[in-house]
Amino acid sequence: MPEQTLMKPHRLIMVLVAAVLVLTFAFMMDWAWLPKYSSEIFDALWITIALLVSSIVAGFLLAVPIGLVQVTGPRPLAWLAMSFCTLIRGTPILLQMWVLYYGLGSLFPYMPGLRQSWLWPYLIEAWPYAFVALTLSFAGYEGEVMRGAFKGVPRGELEAAHAIGMHPFTILRRIWLPRAVQRVLPTLGGELILQLKATPLVATIAVVDVYAIFGRIRQETFIIYEPLLMLALIYLILAGGIAFAFRLLENKLPARG
Amino acid sequence: MATNYREMSAAELLSLEPPGWGGALLDGLVVSLQVALLGYAIGIVIGLGGATLKRSGGPVARDLMSVYTTFVRAIPELVLILLAYFALPELLNNVLSVAGFGRIEINGFAAGVLVIGFVQGAYATEVFRGAIASVPVGHIEAAHSFGMHPLRIFHRITIPEMLPAAIPGLSNLWLIATKDTALLAVVGFTELTLAARQASGATKHYFLFLLAAGGLYLMVTLVSAQLFKWLENRVSRGTRYA
């Protein structure tokens, strides 16, 4: 394992080189467009973060039952959950998003009564499709992880809870679920970053996230390098933030035993 | 001549001969698999080199590898594809024109292979690093003491012994490679996903063609998973806990 310190001669030189590179980029390149678009970039950044957070929360809530029924549920439900995971993990998320948006979206107008329902105003927007696609994708990947986590909780702990007369739901709430979540926590940070990397796909179905706004900037200014570098930097910062937050969280929580 | 797609059945629409679009989908599938295979191969080469550097390279090489893996893990593939497709050719041409060479062009295929290879390389480095670490040091030392050439040790001892530990990770990476090819649709490169989109746009049967493409991807995934399972059984013959 490399040591986590900067105080080594070669690392200091690398940091210096990086700093020189960043400064060259900052002063030699054309950043005049940045102030003009800054408010739009921040708005779009919010969309990206909102989609990320909401799809992760909703996806995780879905992933818990999906993982659980594969370990303990009745056969048909377990089979259904397994097929769902295979389907999500076996096809590209871009295609899933397009199936929902272009595929289902093109069928909705022909469904009787749907146009008059309260759902219709949402169905003609793009973001619900983006949200659903991201949520289902996260649920599929995380459901598989949760299956392993539920399975990995030592049987003795569940049997002990059973033996002192705990209700099955109490066991799930007080022992099984917390122990499973504790097991997935170390990998969750990585999963969140993967999900972050999936969010720019929503730009392909006309949701204006960070990626989309930089696409517009590139089209309007004809600048080649700077917007792309800025975009990469924004994702680096977001991913770094997630990684940092999870490192803090892991230090706060008791180690798993 | 306008074809009336509205009254065609699903089987007619998906037939391999035009006016059916099945042939276009299959062509797209072949292109996707080509990009995935080439990118995967590049990724494995980078991974083997990177793992060796991480294990036995100097501190600078090791830190540079960490920078590489960090960047790849944090930046979306979609942004990397834009960089490879729009920024890299421009940069190369600037350098080339300074050096007095003509312009080159990077097409969607090359950009796709490059990006997928670059991304796979970072993940493959980790897979191989872990797998090589599982090879008992004594075996390599024994080969050393026989006077085997390091390269020979690598391909006669290290690679065969680490494969059982590497195959699950490699299988995962291959599945990621096939799915990542779909992202090339965004820069207008006609692989399976974009072919499905074009077919559905032309016929207005969006659901049918996108689902058909999904079926093809799923087939690739399931067949590959079986192949890798067979491969894993094969390479782990003779290991104690296989």
Side-chain angles (χ1 to χ4, degrees):
Chain A
M1 242 5 239
E3 261 184 87
Q4 303 283 342
T5 172
L6 280 175
M7 289 305 145
K8 281 185 176 173
H10 77 276
R11 284 208 177 136
L12 288 176
I13 292 172
M14 278 171 68
V15 168
L16 210 67
V17 170
V20 168
L21 265 179
V22 168
L23 287 178
T24 340
F25 281 156
F27 288 108
M28 303 295 281
M29 293 181 117
D30 177 15
W31 300 102
W33 50 272
L34 204 49
K36 194 178 142 209
Y37 287 102
S38 62
S39 73
E40 278 159 300
I41 292 175
F42 277 111
D43 288 348
L45 198 58
W46 275 120
I47 303 255
T48 292
I49 292 174
L51 272 175
L52 177 68
V53 172
S54 61
S55 70
I56 279 168
V57 172
F60 193 79
L61 290 180
L62 270 177
V64 169
I66 287 173
L68 193 63
V69 296
Q70 286 186 75
V71 178
T72 163
R75 267 293 167 69
L77 267 184
W79 183 85
L80 208 67
M82 202 195 73
S83 316
F84 173 76
C85 287
T86 311
L87 200 67
I88 293 291
R89 285 150 39 95
T91 53
I93 175 175
L94 179 66
L95 191 76
Q96 293 161 16
M97 214 172 264
W98 284 5
V99 165
L100 287 177
Y101 184 68
Y102 296 110
L104 272 184
S106 71
L107 297 184
F108 282 146
Y110 299 107
M111 291 181 186
L114 201 56
R115 267 170 192 277
Q116 285 76 39
S117 76
W118 58 273
L119 267 173
W120 188 249
Y122 297 101
L123 292 179
I124 52 175
E125 299 246 14
W127 65 262
Y129 296 93
F131 168 71
V132 170
L134 286 173
T135 300
L136 289 183
S137 164
F138 192 73
Y141 282 93
E142 201 57 33
E144 189 72 19
V145 176
M146 284 310 287
R147 181 183 67 90
F150 277 123
K151 219 175 181 174
V153 174
R155 287 216 69 81
E157 296 180 16
L158 303 178
E159 280 162 9
H162 200 70
I164 56 170
M166 261 193 189
H167 190 268
F169 279 106
T170 320
I171 297 181
L172 180 64
R173 184 170 58 86
R174 301 256 309 253
I175 294 163
W176 211 1
L177 186 59
R179 291 286 278 150
V181 169
Q182 202 178 19
R183 288 175 154 267
V184 297
L185 216 52
T187 61
L188 204 56
E191 302 276 339
L192 294 202
I193 292 176
L194 284 182
Q195 182 77 354
L196 169 71
K197 286 166 69 176
T199 55
L201 292 174
V202 303
T204 63
I205 58 171
V207 175
V208 185
D209 74 327
V210 173
Y211 181 86
I213 208 78
F214 276 90
R216 227 189 70 206
I217 294 173
R218 286 174 47 234
Q219 275 172 9
E220 287 177 5
T221 60
F222 298 109
I223 302 173
I224 296 168
Y225 303 113
E226 290 85 347
L228 284 176
L229 288 177
M230 192 69 193
L231 184 59
L233 181 69
I234 288 177
Y235 280 109
L236 265 177
I237 292 172
L238 287 176
I242 294 175
F244 183 70
F246 266 83
R247 189 166 294 174
L248 285 187
L249 194 67
E250 254 173 74
N251 289 341
K252 278 264 163 60
L253 290 172
R256 74 189 174 111
Chain B
M1 184 194 78
T3 321
N4 187 2
Y5 290 114
R6 193 156 279 280
E7 278 156 24
M8 286 167 70
S9 69
E12 281 175 311
L13 283 166
L14 286 173
S15 78
L16 297 184
E17 304 293 324
W21 283 80
L25 286 195
L26 283 188
D27 287 346
L29 176 65
V30 170
V31 173
S32 282
L33 287 179
Q34 282 170 342
V35 174
L37 262 179
L38 278 174
Y40 189 59
I42 293 178
I44 285 184
V45 172
I46 297 179
L48 282 175
T52 316
L53 271 184
K54 263 203 167 173
R55 284 181 58 78
S56 39
V60 179
R62 248 181 305 184
D63 280 359
L64 281 178
M65 284 309 295
S66 304
V67 171
Y68 165 51
T69 43
T70 309
F71 269 73
V72 168
R73 280 183 188 177
I75 300 174
E77 285 81 359
L78 216 49
V79 177
L80 291 177
I81 285 174
L82 289 190
L83 281 168
Y85 196 67
F86 294 107
L88 187 66
E90 191 65 23
L91 189 70
L92 280 181
N93 281 327
N94 286 348
V95 173
L96 283 178
S97 66
V98 168
F101 291 103
R103 293 179 68 83
I104 56 156
E105 217 160 277
I106 293 189
N107 56 18
F109 189 87
V113 169
L114 248 153
V115 168
I116 289 179
F118 186 72
V119 171
Q120 295 267 313
Y123 290 107
T125 300
E126 291 305 313
V127 170
F128 284 128
R129 196 184 54 85
I132 291 176
S134 76
V135 176
V137 187
H139 296 193
I140 293 172
E141 281 169 359
H144 246 311
S145 64
F146 272 115
M148 259 192 186
H149 190 268
L151 274 180
R152 190 151 214 215
I153 296 178
F154 196 63
H155 99 104
R156 292 272 292 267
I157 313 283
T158 313
I159 290 190
E161 279 210 68
M162 73 158 184
L163 272 183
I167 291 282
L170 290 181
S171 155
N172 228 347
L173 282 182
W174 164 248
L175 296 182
I176 292 175
T178 53
K179 284 182 284 172
D180 273 356
T181 57
L183 301 178
L184 292 175
V186 172
V187 290
F189 178 67
T190 307
E191 38 62 67
L192 180 50
T193 303
L194 192 59
R197 175 84 194 284
Q198 288 160 347
S200 56
T203 59
K204 305 290 172 219
H205 288 273
Y206 288 96
F207 206 52
L208 174 71
F209 282 105
L210 290 170
L211 274 192
L216 287 176
Y217 279 114
L218 201 59
M219 228 170 59
V220 170
T221 303
L222 295 177
V223 170
S224 313
Q226 280 306 315
L227 277 180
F228 271 102
K229 204 177 268 173
W230 173 80
L231 201 64
E232 190 180 348
N233 281 334
R234 202 182 141 76
V235 297
S236 43
R237 280 174 313 179
T239 48
R240 211 166 296 162
Y241 303 104

